[in-house]
Amino acid sequence: MVERGGNPVSPRKDDELKHELEGQLRSGRPTHAEEAYEPEPPADDDIRVDPGGPVPPPGEARERAQAETEADTLRVELARHLERTSFPADRRTVLDGLEAHHAPEPVLEAARRLPDDGGRYANATEIVDALRSGPAG
C-alpha cells in the first residue's frame, strides 16, 4: 500500500538537501566553514561543573558520592586511553597502553597502584574495581 502523506519538501529540494549533507555524513564531521554553529571545546582553564546534581550534606553520603565520581572519572579516562584490543590485560599491559596513548599523570599514578600479582582485567571497570578494593587503592 502506498502512503499518501503530504511532504512539505519537493523532490528537487529533497535532493539538494541530501547533496548538502552527503559530505558531512561521509566524513563524520561538519563540512561548513561557519564556526558559529560548531560547539567550542572546553578550555583547560574552564570551570568544571559537576553534572551529578546537588551536593550531599557533609558526612558519609558526601564521601561516598565523591568516591563514586572519582571512580567514574578514572573509568572514563582509562577507557579513553586504552584500546579494546588491549584487553584482557595485566598490570604491565595497562601501564604500557596508557603510556603509549599519553594518558594524564593522575591516570598513570592510579594504574601504578594496581597489584603486581599477575591479575588480568577484562575492561576499565575491572581495573577501577581492583584499585578500589586493593590495599593501596
Side-chain angles (χ1 to χ4, degrees), residues 7-26:
N7 187 354
V9 180
S10 69
R12 184 183 60 77
K13 183 66 175 172
D14 192 35
D15 288 341
E16 286 177 16
L17 292 172
K18 284 180 189 175
H19 181 71
E20 285 180 19
L21 287 175
E22 184 177 12
Q24 181 177 355
L25 293 173
R26 286 182 185 219

Side-chain angles (χ1 to χ4, degrees), residues 2-55:
V2 177
E3 188 176 332
R4 297 188 187 265
N7 187 354
V9 180
S10 69
R12 184 183 60 77
K13 183 66 175 172
D14 192 35
D15 288 341
E16 286 177 16
L17 292 172
K18 284 180 189 175
H19 181 71
E20 285 180 19
L21 287 175
E22 184 177 12
Q24 181 177 355
L25 293 173
R26 286 182 185 219
S27 69
R29 60 183 172 78
T31 55
H32 295 287
E34 300 165 2
E35 293 180 11
Y37 298 115
E38 302 300 320
E40 185 174 322
D44 292 336
D45 59 347
D46 279 354
I47 296 173
R48 305 259 188 251
V49 178
D50 183 15
V55 178

Side-chain angles (χ1 to χ4, degrees), residues 11-130:
R12 184 183 60 77
K13 183 66 175 172
D14 192 35
D15 288 341
E16 286 177 16
L17 292 172
K18 284 180 189 175
H19 181 71
E20 285 180 19
L21 287 175
E22 184 177 12
Q24 181 177 355
L25 293 173
R26 286 182 185 219
S27 69
R29 60 183 172 78
T31 55
H32 295 287
E34 300 165 2
E35 293 180 11
Y37 298 115
E38 302 300 320
E40 185 174 322
D44 292 336
D45 59 347
D46 279 354
I47 296 173
R48 305 259 188 251
V49 178
D50 183 15
V55 178
E60 188 178 325
R62 180 181 287 180
E63 291 171 10
R64 194 171 42 248
Q66 286 174 336
E68 196 61 39
T69 300
E70 289 171 8
D72 287 343
T73 301
L74 179 59
R75 187 177 5 265
V76 167
E77 286 297 314
L78 286 167
R80 219 175 105 203
H81 294 286
L82 291 173
E83 297 175 0
R84 283 190 226 176
T85 57
S86 301
F87 295 102
D90 59 359
R91 180 182 185 271
R92 184 76 254 155
T93 305
V94 170
L95 286 170
D96 289 345
L98 291 173
E99 289 170 358
H101 288 91
H102 308 289
E105 190 58 34
V107 177
L108 286 168
E109 287 176 19
R112 289 182 188 119
R113 292 194 321 257
L114 283 169
D116 196 13
D117 60 0
R120 300 199 45 91
Y121 310 100
N123 53 38
T125 301
E126 287 189 8
I127 295 171
V128 172
D129 290 346

